[in-house]
Amino acid sequence: MRDNIFLIGFMGAGKSTIARSLRDLYAMRLIEMDEQIERQEGMKISRIFKEKGEAYFRALETALLEGLRCEMNTVVSCGGGVPMRQCNVDAMRQSGRIVYLSAKPETIFARVRHAHNRPLLEGNMNVAYIEKLLQERLPKYLAAADVIVETDGRSAREICRDIVRQ
Ligand code: S3P
């Protein structure tokens, strides 16, 4: 695949899983933004938030995306907050297609409820909070998306085929 694919969506929408499947099915290179930032900073995302603050983390996300402009045939699994900044959307649009993976709040909750690696959900691990934050973010996710793919109740293979077909 010549174009890069940027997977966006809420935490737990399945971005990492689908990114790995796309890599395996279509021999693409994979960039997992959160992992790359953790490697670069030598600390977990939750510690970056705690010790350096969210604004510092958001600046790292933007810098990472800016550095991807020359990539080809790459699938990028974006952090859930990436499309909240217009400059990030502009950078993604310049080097590929943006795919929004949608999921219902109940599905998201079921996927993330036992994890403790997402500072925004610590202390807020419930469907009502997820629904509220998702509603706040939805206009930006939708505005950024070239392609929208539902993930509820679908297999990774099915979702990948849908992405490539679209
Ligand atoms: C965030 C999502 C996380 C991570 C950070 C902030 C967000 O990534 O980047 O905790 O603002 O939605 P995932 O969407 O991969 O969980």
Side-chain angles (χ1 to χ4, degrees), residues 11 15 34 45 49 57-58 61 79-81 118-120 137:
M11 296 167 267
K15 300 177 296 268
D34 285 348
I45 302 285
F49 266 67
F57 173 75
R58 298 301 175 195
E61 287 186 315
R118 295 182 176 92
L120 297 183
R137 288 182 165 192

Side-chain angles (χ1 to χ4, degrees), residues 77-158:
S77 174
C78 296
V82 161
M84 301 305 114
R85 281 190 169 188
Q86 187 57 40
C87 60
N88 292 344
V89 177
D90 295 342
M92 293 191 283
R93 196 156 279 144
Q94 275 179 22
S95 62
R97 300 291 191 87
I98 305 176
V99 177
Y100 172 55
L101 298 180
S102 79
K104 294 189 180 125
E106 293 77 9
T107 308
I108 291 170
F109 177 66
R111 290 176 184 159
V112 302
R113 59 185 302 186
H114 297 302
H116 293 285
N117 54 350
R118 295 182 176 92
L120 297 183
L121 295 181
E122 280 304 298
N124 292 312
M125 193 57 91
N126 58 75
V127 176
Y129 181 80
I130 290 170
E131 186 159 20
K132 179 176 161 286
L133 188 55
L134 179 58
Q135 283 309 319
E136 280 169 25
R137 288 182 165 192
L138 197 56
K140 293 213 169 134
Y141 285 139
L142 296 178
D146 296 309
V147 171
I148 297 170
V149 175
E150 285 179 17
T151 66
D152 301 280
R154 302 176 79 192
S155 72
R157 187 171 278 263
E158 231 177 303

